[in-house]
Amino acid sequence: MQSNPEPIQPVRPRKAKTAAGLVGGFGLLGLLLSLVLFADVLDSHGASVPAIVFLLYLAQLGLSATQLACGVFIWLGRSWARSTAVGISVINIIGAVVLLFTGAILPAIVGAAVNGGLIRLLTDDDVKDWCDE
């Protein structure tokens, strides 16, 4: 009697592993920095904090949590996670352009370059193929 062979698991490409790690890592870093930012906002020594600051904090927290989740689901090969991660990188590039106008030139250039590299990695054929399976 013949036994059923185990189904062959697809091999996760190295670029997909790298993309998942970077996206998830940046999401985790963003969450940690959001907590530091929130502690700083709360420690305003009784000064009134504009509502826009809390709105921006919540937006950062939401984007970071979404980016962390995207890293996990890119690892699992979900196409929606790859597309969402590309969208978050585009939002981050727009933020870097806005940052240029505040005079923070080096952080803006680094942020735009990192997110441009992430977009390039996320749109690589190996990563697209992995996430479309």
Side-chain angles (χ1 to χ4, degrees):
M1 185 166 195
Q2 203 173 13
S3 64
N4 290 335
E6 291 287 323
I8 297 174
Q9 296 292 327
V11 176
R12 186 177 293 108
R14 190 176 68 132
K15 289 182 181 180
K17 292 177 188 178
T18 303
L22 287 173
V23 170
F26 286 131
L28 181 61
L29 181 62
L31 280 175
L32 294 174
L33 291 175
S34 294
L35 294 175
V36 171
L37 174 66
F38 192 60
D40 191 43
V41 168
L42 289 179
D43 191 26
S44 60
H45 302 291
S48 175
V49 179
I52 188 72
V53 172
F54 285 107
L55 181 65
L56 289 173
Y57 164 74
L58 291 175
Q60 174 63 42
L61 191 65
L63 281 174
S64 296
T66 303
Q67 194 170 22
L68 177 60
C70 285
V72 171
F73 285 103
I74 288 169
W75 182 267
L76 298 174
R78 304 299 191 272
S79 63
W80 64 264
R82 187 187 65 80
S83 301
T84 303
V86 169
I88 291 172
S89 293
V90 169
I91 291 170
N92 287 336
I93 289 174
I94 293 168
V97 170
V98 170
L99 198 58
L100 274 175
F101 293 109
T102 68
I105 296 171
L106 184 60
I109 291 171
V110 170
V114 166
N115 283 287
L118 272 178
I119 291 171
R120 172 65 187 102
L121 184 59
L122 289 165
T123 57
D124 185 87
D125 288 339
D126 287 343
V127 178
K128 287 194 319 193
D129 290 345
W130 170 254
C131 289
D132 287 339
E133 290 182 358

